[in-house]
Amino acid sequence: YDALQLAYGEANQKNVTQPLSGHFSNANTTPKQKVVEFRNYPAAKAIGEAIELTEVFSEGDTVHAIGTSKGKGFQGVVTRHKFSGVGQSTHGQNNRLRAPGSVGASAWPSRVFKGVRMAGRMGNEREKTKNLKIVKLLPEKNLILIQGSVPGFKGSFVIIEK
């Protein structure tokens, strides 16, 4: 198994678990907020050595952005699955405009099949946006400017991969 572990962001010692604390002490580095592992990383690095931005990326490259999408909370079927609702408000319809309608059969199979689209939590999932273009690199500030939408809320961790 060949993998490279990268850590980012300074963390307080009291906020780090004991196993991770030993992990960081073996690497002779301060505790970090986030640890991510990359398989089959091409460059060989020593333990505790930093990776420069320009070593991996260059302007004009096409990259993928991986992050956790914004959570929308508990949503109904119209918002979550784009159901159209009942469609009319007359002919005996009362407060059923945004309801899912029938979800299962009658006597047989006497249950609702798995995977039926219903109301539930929306968002807060791992998303991957592909083929984004690097517009500019700012190595002195350790920033990458990417054209396109990146999943996640402001201040969230995003993995950029080639």
Side-chain angles (χ1 to χ4, degrees), residues 17-60:
T17 62
Q18 200 166 5
L20 272 180
S21 178
H23 199 64
F24 293 129
S25 65
N26 287 344
N28 296 326
T29 183
T30 58
K32 306 292 183 191
Q33 286 181 339
K34 188 81 169 175
V35 178
V36 182
E37 189 171 275
F38 294 95
R39 289 186 190 177
N40 303 324
Y41 191 78
K45 291 288 182 180
I47 295 177
E49 186 179 352
I51 294 179
E52 297 298 322
L53 191 66
T54 54
E55 291 178 31
V56 183
F57 301 108
S58 61
E59 291 182 12

Side-chain angles (χ1 to χ4, degrees), residues 67-72 124-125 150-158:
T68 303
S69 64
K70 288 183 179 181
K72 308 287 192 287
N124 195 27
E125 295 174 345
V150 175
F153 53 89
K154 292 179 183 175
S156 63
F157 287 102
V158 177

Side-chain angles (χ1 to χ4, degrees), residues 4-162:
L4 175 73
Q5 286 185 345
L6 294 179
Y8 172 78
E10 298 296 326
N12 289 334
Q13 182 67 40
K14 68 179 187 116
N15 296 334
V16 177
T17 62
Q18 200 166 5
L20 272 180
S21 178
H23 199 64
F24 293 129
S25 65
N26 287 344
N28 296 326
T29 183
T30 58
K32 306 292 183 191
Q33 286 181 339
K34 188 81 169 175
V35 178
V36 182
E37 189 171 275
F38 294 95
R39 289 186 190 177
N40 303 324
Y41 191 78
K45 291 288 182 180
I47 295 177
E49 186 179 352
I51 294 179
E52 297 298 322
L53 191 66
T54 54
E55 291 178 31
V56 183
F57 301 108
S58 61
E59 291 182 12
D61 282 352
T62 302
V63 294
H64 307 318
I66 304 169
T68 303
S69 64
K70 288 183 179 181
K72 308 287 192 287
F74 194 94
Q75 299 296 321
V77 292
V78 173
T79 303
R80 189 176 185 209
H81 298 296
K82 308 294 186 241
F83 283 14
S84 60
V86 172
Q88 45 183 308
S89 59
T90 58
H91 296 291
Q93 301 299 327
N94 181 21
N95 68 13
R96 304 296 301 155
L97 289 177
R98 298 176 66 88
S102 176
V103 293
S106 181
W108 186 88
S110 301
R111 63 191 176 96
V112 177
F113 289 116
K114 285 184 178 179
V116 174
R117 295 176 297 166
M118 294 185 176
R121 286 194 180 181
M122 184 175 167
N124 195 27
E125 295 174 345
R126 189 176 195 261
E127 299 287 337
K128 183 176 194 175
T129 307
K130 295 185 175 184
N131 301 326
L132 301 173
K133 183 181 175 186
I134 295 180
V135 179
K136 191 166 190 173
L137 293 176
L138 302 172
E140 62 277 355
K141 294 183 180 179
N142 207 20
L143 291 176
I144 302 175
L145 300 181
I146 296 177
Q147 181 179 7
S149 62
V150 175
F153 53 89
K154 292 179 183 175
S156 63
F157 287 102
V158 177
I159 297 172
I160 308 293
E161 67 178 19
K162 276 187 156 181

